Amino acid sequence: MTDQPPVHEPTNRRRQFLGRLSLPERTFITDALRTETVGGMLLLGAAVIALIWANVWPQAYQSVLDYTVGPSAPLHLDLSLATWAKDGLLTIFFFVAGIELKREFVAGELRTPSAALLPVVAAVCGVALPAILFALVNSGPGGHPGGWAIPTATDIAFALGVLAVVGSHLPSALRAFLLTLAVVDDLIAILIIAIFYSHGIKFWALGLAFAGLVLFWFLHRRGVHGWYLFVPLAVVNWALMHESGIHATVAGVAMGLMLRCHREGDERHSPGEHIEHLVRPFSAGLAVPVFALFSAGVAVSGPKLREVFTQAAPLGIVIGLLVGKSVGVLGGAWLTARFTRAELNPRLKWADMVAVSVLAGIGFTVSLLISELAFPDDPALAARAKTAVLVGSVLAAAVATVLLKLRNRHYRELCEEEDRDLDGDGVPDVYQEDDPAWRARVGEAAHPTTDEGQDPSPGPRDRPGQPG
């Protein structure tokens, strides 16, 4: 038994994407966003430090990036610190992304095809249009079409960090859209990296990595516990994937997808939820900021910034992030709502979606990674691509900030409505509106009676001068 009244949810209603979330789902997303917001602030701080370091002490910064550590045999792991950050630490980020993706498919918005349609189409359009715009800008002489994937990624942590700085009261449903969009976006980025940026595949190492993943899945499904067993196995799987020629971060995604994310029996948390709870702070608080520290340090000067807007590759990145992302996400969402049964919550406005679509143009972590993968033999071009990623992300963040400020009062009113708890029982009223007992209880609290049992508030027949 519980002291709290039951949470009643409407029945026999068509599922709306961005409609009211169930209370457990809302709590889970709120906790996740809280951690990601802190991680976004750390990511922003690391990027600023990298820029200052690379421009004030460039030789010291480069010497740290090139410092080599690790065993050379048998898996050639004598890597630079920059590579360890890119291939090693970032694997933890993709491991968490794999768990998030699995959870969305089994317990989140993506489990229902009708609810999943809108964010999936929005994410696909938000990837396709930036790639198309980049290809068009780089189709002429001197272009570099190989970097088409750079402006396709959204950095959810950075985007939520911007929200924290702005101080917006963005409704939870719209925040959930941004999170779901980023999960689908991450899946597409993973597929792009695995298919288009893997070279010289060694099938013996890939076969052993696959066997290691099968062993990981088998032990997990058999209920075997113990970090001392799974962590070494994960490291071996990562090393084999790195040696195989497939980008090592794919190993992290694969292991995240193998975790069980639904609850069984009397479990309070599924194994996936428990492991994500443990690993997410390490990913958001250390792995991603360190990667940003080793990747975002590019020379910034007047001539360098001019190159961003005068050369095809960096210009394509800026246009892709600022225009392609926002138009693609918003257009995909609108077309889906216009021509399918998917629909937004009636309390949300398309002006809100405009702001969030522009916010999706903040491409940082994965965009910086793809910048290095797209131009491995041209460090100067990779550096210009990184500069373009920073410029495009800053412009998207600035435009989104203006739009969010304009919507701030509307957001605050929506949040106050969602969080209202008139009877003080700890459960938001929106989850109890269909409960007759709750309505009676709240009615008594909102309209106290006099000693004679009459409502003191004047009605049309109680006002002075009105007939009795």
Side-chain angles (χ1 to χ4, degrees):
M1 298 295 292
T2 177
D3 295 330
Q4 291 186 346
V7 177
H8 294 268
E9 295 189 1
T11 57
N12 300 324
R13 293 184 183 177
R14 187 173 65 180
R15 178 74 182 273
Q16 294 175 336
F17 181 75
L18 298 190
R20 186 180 305 146
L21 304 175
S22 66
L23 186 56
E25 231 176 310
R26 177 181 172 182
T27 302
F28 179 89
I29 290 176
T30 300
D31 292 342
L33 290 174
R34 185 178 297 115
T35 303
E36 289 286 4
T37 300
V38 174
M41 300 300 294
L42 294 175
L43 177 61
L44 180 61
V48 171
I49 293 173
L51 287 171
I52 295 174
W53 190 0
N55 285 273
V56 178
W57 302 285
Q59 293 183 345
Y61 181 75
Q62 192 61 45
S63 64
V64 171
L65 296 187
D66 295 338
Y67 186 80
T68 300
V69 63
S72 59
L75 298 178
H76 308 98
L77 295 179
D78 49 338
L79 308 174
S80 66
L81 290 181
T83 304
W84 276 112
K86 177 183 68 176
D87 293 357
L89 286 177
L90 212 55
T91 301
I92 301 171
F93 165 79
F94 279 102
F95 174 70
V96 174
I99 299 176
E100 288 178 339
L101 181 64
K102 179 68 172 290
R103 185 194 172 277
E104 285 295 318
F105 275 116
V106 302
E109 289 289 347
L110 298 181
R111 74 185 186 277
T112 307
S114 60
L117 183 62
L118 193 147
V120 169
V121 173
V124 171
C125 293
V127 169
L129 188 57
I132 292 172
L133 292 178
F134 182 93
L136 290 175
V137 174
N138 285 268
S139 60
H144 300 274
W148 61 270
I150 297 174
T152 60
T154 294
D155 194 303
I156 183 63
F158 214 152
L160 292 171
V162 170
L163 288 181
V165 172
V166 172
S168 170
H169 291 78
L170 191 67
S172 59
L174 211 53
R175 291 175 183 264
F177 170 77
L178 185 60
L179 180 61
T180 307
L181 177 78
V183 169
V184 179
D185 192 276
D186 285 343
L187 173 61
I188 299 174
I190 292 161
L191 294 175
I192 289 174
I193 291 172
I195 296 172
F196 296 99
Y197 295 106
S198 297
H199 306 286
I201 297 177
K202 300 178 181 178
F203 289 99
W204 68 267
L206 183 60
L208 290 177
F210 180 77
L213 292 173
V214 171
L215 178 60
F216 183 95
W217 175 85
F218 177 78
L219 294 175
H220 176 66
R221 290 294 174 174
R222 296 291 293 181
V224 177
H225 301 285
W227 65 267
Y228 49 84
L229 178 62
F230 283 98
V231 171
L233 179 59
V235 172
V236 171
N237 288 340
W238 172 86
L240 289 169
M241 190 69 72
H242 181 273
E243 179 68 12
S244 72
I246 301 292
H247 199 269
T249 54
V250 175
V253 177
M255 288 183 284
L257 289 172
M258 290 178 179
L259 297 180
R260 177 168 60 82
C261 292
H262 63 276
R263 303 173 189 178
E264 295 181 351
D266 58 352
E267 289 180 336
R268 295 186 59 186
H269 304 284
S270 68
E273 291 173 321
H274 176 67
I275 294 173
E276 182 184 9
H277 180 75
L278 295 176
V279 177
R280 182 187 289 275
F282 184 74
S283 170
L286 179 65
V288 175
V290 170
F291 167 77
L293 182 65
F294 287 159
S295 297
V298 293
V300 178
S301 62
K304 296 291 184 182
L305 292 178
R306 280 195 297 271
E307 290 177 352
V308 170
F309 298 98
T310 58
Q311 296 188 6
L315 180 60
I317 293 171
V318 173
I319 293 176
L321 289 174
L322 188 59
V323 179
K325 265 293 183 181
S326 56
V327 175
V329 170
L330 180 64
W334 185 86
L335 290 173
T336 305
R338 175 68 175 81
F339 295 105
T340 72
R341 291 173 59 85
E343 56 184 10
L344 296 176
N345 189 313
R347 292 180 298 174
L348 299 177
K349 307 298 182 182
W350 282 103
D352 304 329
M353 293 296 296
V354 170
V356 173
S357 298
V358 175
L359 199 61
I362 300 178
F364 195 80
T365 305
V366 179
S367 293
L368 290 177
L369 172 63
I370 298 178
S371 296
E372 297 186 4
L373 299 178
F375 309 118
D377 301 324
D378 194 340
L381 181 57
R384 290 197 295 273
K386 290 182 179 181
T387 304
V389 169
L390 296 177
V391 171
S393 298
V394 168
L395 290 176
V399 175
T401 297
V402 173
L403 296 175
L404 290 170
K405 285 288 189 182
L406 293 176
R407 301 296 296 168
N408 192 57
R409 178 177 298 179
H410 181 63
Y411 296 149
R412 183 173 62 252
E413 293 173 353
L414 286 178
C415 288
E416 290 173 353
E417 183 179 351
E418 284 195 356
D419 295 335
R420 186 178 61 239
D421 183 16
L422 292 178
D423 57 350
D425 63 350
V427 179
D429 295 340
V430 293
Y431 294 98
Q432 299 174 287
E433 291 174 345
D434 291 346
D435 183 5
W438 174 85
R439 289 201 300 269
R441 185 168 65 253
V442 171
E444 294 172 359
H447 303 287
T449 58
T450 63
D451 294 339
E452 290 78 13
Q454 300 297 321
D455 190 340
S457 58
R461 297 174 58 84
D462 299 325
R463 297 191 184 104
Q466 295 292 331

